Amino acid sequence: MNQPIKKAIVLSSGGLDSTTAMAIAANQSYQIYSISFDYGQRHLFELDRAKEIAKHYKVKEHLILKVDLKSIGGSALTSETAVPKDSLNEEENNIPVTYVPARNLIFLSLAVAWGEVIGAYDIFIGVNAIDYSGYPDCREEFLEAFEKMVRVGTKAGVEGKK
C-alpha cells in the first residue's frame, strides 16, 4: 500500500541553521519544497548557497521570492549601518542592529501561503539558539503564537489541517 507523500516547506537562507532544518526534513522523508528570500540583504551570496543546498537535497522546487525589506529599513543587514563583528547583543532584551523588522513573521507567512497551495502542512525553519535572546521572531513563544495564528487564519487551519 502506498504511503501518501509528506510535503514540507523549508525556509532556506543558505546558512547553517536552515541547512540543518533541511537535513532534518530530508531525514524524515519529506518531499522538500524550499523557499528563499531576496529581501534587500547585503549578501546575495546567501541565495547562491541556498540554490546549491536545494540541489544537494534534491528539493522538488526551490522558490526565491523578492520581498523588498530594504525599503522599510531598520536593520544593518539592509542598510549602510555597520554590522558588528563581535557579539551581536550583550543583554537579553537588547535587540541587535542586525534584527530585520518582522523578517521571520513575513517569511513564515509566505511559506504558509505556498504550503497551502501545494498541500505542504509542515514548515521547517532553522533559528539559532544564539539568536534566541536578541531576535524576537526567533523565540519559542513567537513560533508557538505563529502556529496558533495559522490555525485560525488560513483555509487549511480552519478545515482542521495542522
Side-chain angles (χ1 to χ4, degrees), residues 53 68 107:
I53 293 161
D68 184 10
F107 293 173

Side-chain angles (χ1 to χ4, degrees), residues 9-13 18 34-41 46-47 63-70 72 77-78 100-115 123-127 137-138 142-143 146 149-150:
I9 304 284
V10 179
L11 283 79
S12 179
S13 67
S18 61
S34 179
I35 189 168
S36 301
F37 301 92
D38 176 355
Y39 63 92
Q41 66 268 46
E46 295 171 345
L47 292 176
L63 181 64
I64 299 176
L65 293 179
K66 184 149 181 74
V67 180
D68 184 10
L69 298 182
K70 188 173 186 170
I72 293 172
L77 297 184
T78 59
V100 179
R103 175 177 55 186
N104 286 340
L105 177 63
I106 294 164
F107 293 173
L108 281 167
S109 296
L110 292 168
V112 166
W114 191 32
I123 308 290
F124 286 72
I125 182 172
V127 291
D137 58 355
C138 290
F142 163 76
L143 296 170
F146 185 84
M149 185 264 319
V150 169

